[in-house]
Amino acid sequence: MTPPSNIAGEWKKRSVVSCFILKLDDGQPRVAFFRRSDKVSTYRHSHHLAPISGSVDVADGSPLAAAWRELAEETTLTTDSLSLLRQGKEYTFQDPSVSREWTIFPFLFRLKTPADEQRIRTDWEHEGWAWHDPGAVIRGDGLGGLNRVPRLDESLRRVWFETDLGPEAGEVLSRGLDALAHDHESGARQLADAALQTLRGVIAGMNTRDREPDVWWVTVRFAAWHLWKNGRESMGAPIMSALLAVLSGIERVLEKGQQTDQLRGAALRELDAHVAARKESVDLISRAVAAYVEDTFRSRRGSHKPICILTLSESSTIRQALRRVALESSFHLDLRILESRPLYEGVSLAGKLAEDLFAAAPPATGTHSITLYTDASAALAASDVDLVIIGGDRVAASGDVSNKTGSLPAVLSAKYVAPTARVVVVAESGKTALPGRSDDHFGCSQRA
């Protein structure tokens, strides 16, 4: 008999984290499930299996902070032994058997080494634990007849997408997320392009057999969500903008009522067309920058006095803009680039610009200079500059700009030693973030 629905207003609402711990056993993924003791307040009878879980307290600050706290309290594991691999999209459901409305925040953590398994020490909330195949649990045959907390498979599939996507597409998404998370050299545009290429690989690799279009569409959207949230969250604005534009196009294709096999081909064509359009937008931006320089410094045409431009780090958009100004204008350029430690992206930008100038026909090396400066020499590099050009990894709805480390010192130095210098931010509209807290604007993911 189905329990009656609770009367409105009597549900006890709680936000909880579900922390899954992953290890690789001879290359095979295994997830730990813990047997709840009879001392916990809910789901204690019959020793339900569950991940590490607990309430999100006001003092935690965020669900992720609550997850780390619960892991430390219930297993003694910390960042020394675990790294955050993925977080899943939260969801809400009601359980009349305990008069609760749960909002679940799923997380997947990975043991850093096989030896870290020996560090697991459970507290009074659990009476034991064991490793299980995550795919089998999601399919419903991984825990046998053992009791489990409600929606366990739903929480798990939100962080373990390999089962729903299939082996090929799941591997593509997993590798793509890893590449995004550890790429600290590419700019926001390049990372967004990489996210789109990963989504393309996912769509191409998904098995469409016996998959209804609406189910296929939900799976594609979840893959895109992971690319936004679990790739480089600090670059979330440009990545999300690029993904949403593609998904909007695919949704229009979906409305035509095609079968899943046909839908996949149409979706790939839509994605390819969008990627081509993004390349055209870089050309438009570089033309706009060149026109701005021509208009702002028209009095220097024919003069031997160079236009001094200060920039930093590496941005494909800024590179194309400076290349166009150098090759197509009549100005002499004095380009000053900060080295941008620790990965020396500025050195990379200087090298690529030099290659562009040497490769031009005829070479444009005699009329321009490129000078590298240490980051600590920002004030020296800013002396007498005419322009400071920076990118915009993320632009807040208020107009505030978040860019590479070193951008603010470069701008402040220029305004102090060269008060007439103009500051130009080169960014696409897609990098504008949704309205929100300033903390969200400058947030970054906590991944190893």
Side-chain angles (χ1 to χ4, degrees):
M1 179 177 178
T2 303
S5 299
N6 210 329
I7 300 174
E10 292 186 2
W11 296 102
K12 295 181 180 179
K13 298 182 179 182
R14 287 184 61 190
S15 294
V16 299
V17 293
S18 290
C19 308
F20 297 94
I21 300 174
L22 172 74
K23 75 166 184 175
L24 294 180
D25 189 359
D26 293 330
Q28 299 301 312
R30 294 293 181 266
V31 171
F33 289 103
F34 297 79
R35 192 167 66 251
R36 294 170 67 84
S37 74
D38 57 6
K39 299 177 183 179
V40 296
S41 59
T42 57
Y43 309 121
R44 59 187 178 182
H45 302 297
S46 303
H47 303 293
H48 286 68
L49 292 181
I52 296 299
S53 57
S55 297
V56 179
D57 297 334
V58 175
D60 288 321
S62 70
L64 180 57
W68 282 114
R69 175 181 55 76
E70 291 290 344
L71 285 165
E73 291 175 356
E74 299 184 21
T75 69
T76 73
L77 296 180
T78 66
T79 53
D80 292 336
S81 305
L82 291 172
S83 60
L84 174 63
L85 184 61
R86 300 168 191 163
Q87 52 186 309
K89 193 177 189 317
E90 71 274 12
Y91 68 101
T92 300
F93 73 95
Q94 294 176 336
D95 186 355
S97 69
V98 292
S99 299
R100 295 287 200 279
E101 180 178 283
W102 303 106
T103 296
I104 311 296
F105 293 86
F107 295 92
L108 180 64
F109 296 86
R110 178 172 51 192
L111 289 175
K112 290 184 175 180
T113 68
D116 289 322
E117 179 182 346
Q118 305 305 318
R119 297 186 178 186
I120 298 178
R121 298 288 186 274
T122 57
D123 66 356
W124 57 269
E125 297 185 48
H126 306 287
E127 294 185 351
W129 57 280
W131 298 100
H132 297 270
D133 177 1
V137 173
I138 291 174
R139 291 190 297 269
D141 56 359
L143 298 178
L146 298 175
N147 290 306
R148 64 188 76 181
V149 294
R151 306 292 182 92
L152 176 64
D153 55 339
E154 175 65 19
S155 297
L156 180 57
R157 77 191 322 139
R158 286 174 179 254
V159 292
W160 188 256
F161 48 69
E162 282 82 351
T163 302
D164 289 335
L165 288 178
E168 182 179 347
E171 179 68 15
V172 169
L173 182 54
S174 180
R175 289 183 179 275
L177 291 175
D178 186 67
L180 287 171
H182 294 91
D183 184 349
H184 297 284
E185 296 184 16
S186 299
R189 157 171 278 279
Q190 293 164 303
L191 291 172
D193 288 342
L196 291 178
Q197 289 302 323
T198 298
L199 182 62
R200 191 189 194 287
V202 169
I203 293 174
M206 283 175 58
N207 181 10
T208 57
R209 183 180 303 171
D210 300 325
R211 196 187 291 259
E212 293 297 322
D214 57 340
V215 176
W216 176 90
W217 179 227
V218 169
T219 308
V220 169
R221 297 204 317 269
F222 260 105
W225 188 92
H226 278 285
L227 285 167
W228 165 60
K229 197 69 174 178
N230 292 312
R232 280 283 297 284
E233 192 174 359
S234 59
M235 296 287 191
I239 291 176
M240 178 178 64
S241 177
L243 291 170
L244 286 178
V246 167
L247 292 177
S248 295
I250 295 176
E251 188 171 34
R252 289 192 293 271
V253 173
L254 187 67
E255 292 171 351
K256 297 179 181 179
Q258 301 184 52
Q259 295 299 314
T260 308
D261 284 338
Q262 298 172 320
L263 183 60
R264 176 169 61 181
L268 292 175
R269 290 190 293 273
E270 176 69 26
L271 203 155
D272 290 341
H274 183 77
V275 170
R278 283 176 58 82
K279 292 180 180 178
E280 293 179 6
S281 72
V282 175
D283 184 66
L284 292 174
I285 291 174
S286 67
R287 290 181 184 276
V289 173
Y292 173 82
V293 172
E294 287 280 357
D295 183 64
T296 303
F297 301 101
R298 64 167 65 95
S299 62
R300 294 203 196 170
R301 289 174 184 164
S303 169
H304 292 290
K305 183 179 180 180
I307 297 174
C308 298
I309 300 176
L310 174 64
T311 189
L312 73 157
S313 193
E314 182 173 7
S315 162
S316 59
T317 306
I318 289 180
R319 175 192 170 191
Q320 293 300 324
L322 292 177
R323 181 182 184 277
R324 184 177 291 276
V325 173
L327 297 181
E328 298 184 8
S329 73
S330 58
F331 299 116
H332 298 284
L333 298 184
D334 176 5
L335 300 177
R336 305 174 184 183
I337 304 175
L338 301 180
E339 60 182 344
S340 310
R341 294 189 182 192
L343 298 177
Y344 299 100
E345 296 99 323
V347 178
S348 176
L349 174 63
K352 291 177 180 177
L353 280 172
E355 291 176 0
D356 292 340
L357 298 183
F358 273 110
T365 55
T367 55
H368 309 299
S369 67
I370 301 176
T371 308
L372 272 170
Y373 289 82
T374 63
D375 295 333
S377 304
L380 180 62
S383 178
D384 298 323
V385 296
D386 299 297
L387 280 178
V388 179
I389 299 181
I390 63 172
D393 290 338
R394 184 176 170 116
V395 181
S398 63
D400 294 335
V401 175
S402 174
N403 194 49
K404 305 294 191 301
T405 299
S407 298
L408 182 59
V411 170
L412 293 178
S413 296
K415 298 305 288 184
Y416 183 78
V417 301
T420 60
R422 296 169 180 254
V423 178
V424 176
V425 177
V426 178
E428 298 171 272
S429 59
K431 294 182 180 179
T432 302
L434 296 174
R437 302 181 308 164
S438 58
D439 290 347
D440 295 333
H441 175 58
F442 295 105
C444 62
S445 55
Q446 301 180 37
R447 287 185 177 78

